[in-house]
Amino acid sequence: HSADDGISFYDRDWNLKFTNAAFYSVIGYEKDKYHSTDPDYFIHPDDKNYPVERLEALKSHGFHESELRLRHKDGHYVNLSARSVTVRDENGAVLGALTVSRDITKMKQVHEELIKANVEAKTSNRLKTSFLANISHEIRTPLNAIVGFSGFLDQPDLSEKDREEYIDIIFQSNNQLLLIIND
């Protein structure tokens, strides 16, 4: 995997002294074209603080790690995970900084798709729960009428008029239940 990683070395004045071919291939530029373009052109507008944050972290901790987006030759942005360390000589004097960057665009896309799928699954689950609560209520209403009025038909002192009314309610509730189930 490290063969795909972009490796860059900067001197203590932040002049780029060396970058391997992997770095250029990640953003699709030839070495000369990259170096003849203002570095700000490549950095995503939301990541403009990256160079300053990196420099401050290297000065205070000797290490910086973050993500940034660089403009690809085709116009889209490439997500990079970048780690920088201060490089010192044997006497401890700062020679510059080494940055290793890895293309994490696909990983970020998969991550975003998983988040989206999770949100969709939760939404679907809420809708399913709501639907089941509604449908169970809708079914329970005619079912209660069928069961309740069927029980009344058993009463020995029930008038023929009430019996016909109860049977009519049972048939209406039965039709309502079938409509709900068919819907």
Side-chain angles (χ1 to χ4, degrees):
H1 206 351
S2 62
D4 299 334
D5 292 349
I7 300 170
S8 307
F9 179 74
Y10 299 85
D11 68 17
R12 68 177 68 107
D13 299 318
W14 283 102
N15 297 308
L16 185 58
K17 291 299 185 183
F18 168 80
T19 300
N20 67 347
F23 173 78
Y24 299 112
S25 71
V26 164
I27 58 171
Y29 281 92
E30 298 295 322
K31 183 178 180 178
D32 294 341
K33 176 66 177 159
Y34 178 81
H35 291 284
S36 64
T37 306
D38 179 2
D40 287 343
Y41 169 80
F42 298 104
I43 299 176
H44 189 281
D46 294 343
D47 299 336
K48 287 293 184 196
N49 289 340
Y50 171 80
V52 173
E53 290 169 2
R54 177 179 59 179
L55 184 59
E56 288 173 2
L58 287 172
K59 282 181 179 176
S60 59
H61 308 296
F63 178 78
H64 179 256
E65 180 175 11
S66 77
E67 292 180 10
L68 84 146
R69 290 158 289 181
L70 292 183
R71 185 190 315 259
H72 189 276
K73 184 179 183 179
D74 297 340
H76 67 278
Y77 283 91
V78 177
N79 289 283
L80 296 178
S81 169
R83 294 183 173 120
S84 300
V85 292
T86 300
V87 177
R88 298 177 183 275
D89 67 15
E90 61 277 358
N91 300 320
V94 174
L95 294 174
L98 184 70
T99 298
V100 177
S101 52
R102 177 168 288 171
D103 183 353
I104 57 169
T105 306
K106 286 187 180 85
M107 186 179 77
K108 294 283 277 189
Q109 286 169 341
V110 168
H111 185 253
E112 286 168 16
E113 287 168 10
L114 285 173
I115 289 171
K116 183 180 175 191
N118 188 29
V119 167
E120 288 172 358
K122 285 179 180 176
T123 301
S124 176
N125 197 32
R126 279 195 301 275
L127 289 173
K128 179 185 75 175
T129 301
S130 174
F131 171 77
L132 289 175
N134 283 338
I135 201 72
S136 95
H137 172 74
E138 293 291 324
I139 289 173
R140 207 174 283 123
T141 304
L143 208 50
N144 284 338
I146 293 168
V147 171
F149 284 99
S150 297
F152 291 150
L153 291 175
D154 243 2
Q155 296 176 353
D157 60 342
L158 190 65
S159 72
E160 193 56 38
K161 184 176 184 268
D162 285 345
R163 188 181 307 280
E164 286 175 11
E165 188 181 333
Y166 294 170
I167 289 172
D168 190 45
I169 290 171
I170 291 169
F171 279 128
Q172 286 176 14
S173 297
N174 186 48
N175 286 336
Q176 187 181 358
L177 185 60
L178 288 173
L179 283 172
I180 291 167
I181 291 170
N182 284 336
D183 285 349

